[in-house]
Amino acid sequence: LAVLNVAHIGCAGFNKVLGPWRTEMRTVTLGWLGVMWGLSVRHRWPKLPLVGSTLLAVGLAWLPELLLVLGGAQWGGGIAPAVEGAEHVLLSIVGMGCEACQLHVRSMLEMSPGVLGSSVHLASGSAEIWFNPAWGFNLTSVVEALATDGYEVQAPVTTL
């Protein structure tokens, strides 16, 4: 849901607890689905609710692998860019007049491909971006998007 910018809830440590049990949990899930499908066929129950449940269970059980297949720079998300090879840039931005502008600029930066993180400072009119260029980060596109939204990036842009 975080990828879709719908809900941002962390794993709350579940991966540390449940991660070692993934194979067993998947086996139990597939076994349960097999029993339910067997009963559904035997008793001629409606299949549509079971199809939905099966798709949901299988999708969630293999979600990490699905994100790896769909993820990357070409898709624009799914998994986070690698930290290895990360770079840092400092931008001077004109046009931010309030905290809402600051939040808008930061949101726009965070949604750009390849961005690991960003920090926007209203008082100084600056933004820092940590990014991985191998994941499709394009500074020109970011500057153009900021300009479209009414903000001007002034030279010099400092790459650290």
Side-chain angles (χ1 to χ4, degrees), residues 33-144:
L33 288 171
V35 167
M36 292 306 296
W37 274 100
L39 289 171
S40 176
V41 168
R42 184 175 185 194
H43 297 289
R44 297 183 186 196
W45 293 341
K47 306 295 184 279
L48 189 58
L50 193 53
V51 168
S53 298
T54 300
L55 290 174
L56 180 65
V58 170
L60 291 174
W62 278 273
L63 185 61
E65 289 80 4
L66 181 64
L67 290 175
L68 282 173
V69 169
L70 297 176
Q74 72 278 3
W75 185 58
I79 57 176
V83 177
E84 294 81 24
E87 296 180 20
H88 180 224
V89 67
L90 179 64
L91 305 175
S92 176
I93 301 175
V94 175
M96 292 189 294
C98 63
E99 288 82 7
C101 295
Q102 177 184 5
L103 182 61
H104 176 75
V105 169
R106 181 159 186 239
S107 299
M108 202 255 1
L109 294 174
E110 294 283 335
M111 296 299 284
S112 299
V115 172
L116 297 164
S118 68
S119 177
V120 179
H121 308 283
L122 177 63
S124 65
S126 64
E128 295 178 86
I129 309 170
W130 293 269
F131 63 93
N132 189 332
W135 278 68
F137 180 78
N138 185 335
L139 185 58
T140 305
S141 297
V142 169
V143 170
E144 289 172 357

